[in-house]
Amino acid sequence: QVQLEESGGGSVQAGGSLRLSCVGSGRTFGNYAMGWFRQAPGKEREFVASINSGGYAIYGDSVKGRGTISRDDPQDTVYLQMEALSPEDTAVYYCAASKFSWWSQNAYDYPFWGQGTRVTVSS
């Protein structure tokens, strides 16, 4: 059974940074793409970033240039580093594990999800 557990969320001032972590278990972590999504209050879930099994990444428009996704396969961990945070980044951030090795922006390509970690950015 694949399990994902996020950590690193919290409250931060606008302009600050955060690093979110996601530890996976239950399968060979490095063979699959991993993604981060977020959901703000009253909004739909939004793609943030994805990294494929080879370490190549893509980003959603809302975090492009401010976010960096990375992975440490021996540790079964994926990270999301975010800089220059604004109140618009306030959301619950979810880690997701893909059924493919290649990255995707489509949530339907990710059958496994963590419980989420909340990020609150105050102005």
Side-chain angles (χ1 to χ4, degrees):
Q1 182 178 356
V2 177
Q3 292 185 320
L4 301 171
E5 184 173 356
E6 304 96 336
S7 62
S11 297
V12 63
Q13 294 281 333
S17 62
L18 274 179
R19 189 174 82 155
L20 306 180
S21 302
C22 172
V23 179
S25 63
R27 66 172 181 176
T28 305
F29 191 80
N31 290 347
Y32 300 92
M34 298 293 296
W36 286 96
F37 293 75
R38 70 185 185 185
Q39 188 164 18
K43 296 187 177 181
E44 294 186 352
R45 192 167 295 191
E46 176 188 24
F47 170 75
V48 176
S50 178
I51 186 167
N52 69 7
S53 59
Y56 294 96
I58 59 171
Y59 297 92
D61 289 341
S62 60
V63 301
K64 202 170 291 183
R66 300 188 298 119
T68 303
I69 187 172
S70 60
R71 63 192 300 161
D72 182 347
D73 291 337
Q75 298 296 321
D76 292 337
T77 302
V78 63
Y79 302 99
L80 179 68
Q81 176 76 34
M82 291 190 63
E83 311 288 345
L85 289 163
S86 73
E88 288 68 36
D89 294 312
T90 294
V92 177
Y93 285 72
Y94 297 92
C95 171
S98 176
K99 56 186 175 183
F100 303 118
S101 62
W102 201 250
W103 32 244
S104 170
Q105 300 184 48
N106 190 337
Y108 292 104
D109 290 333
Y110 297 83
F112 308 107
W113 294 79
Q115 293 299 307
T117 185
R118 186 175 300 277
V119 173
T120 302
V121 183
S122 57
S123 57

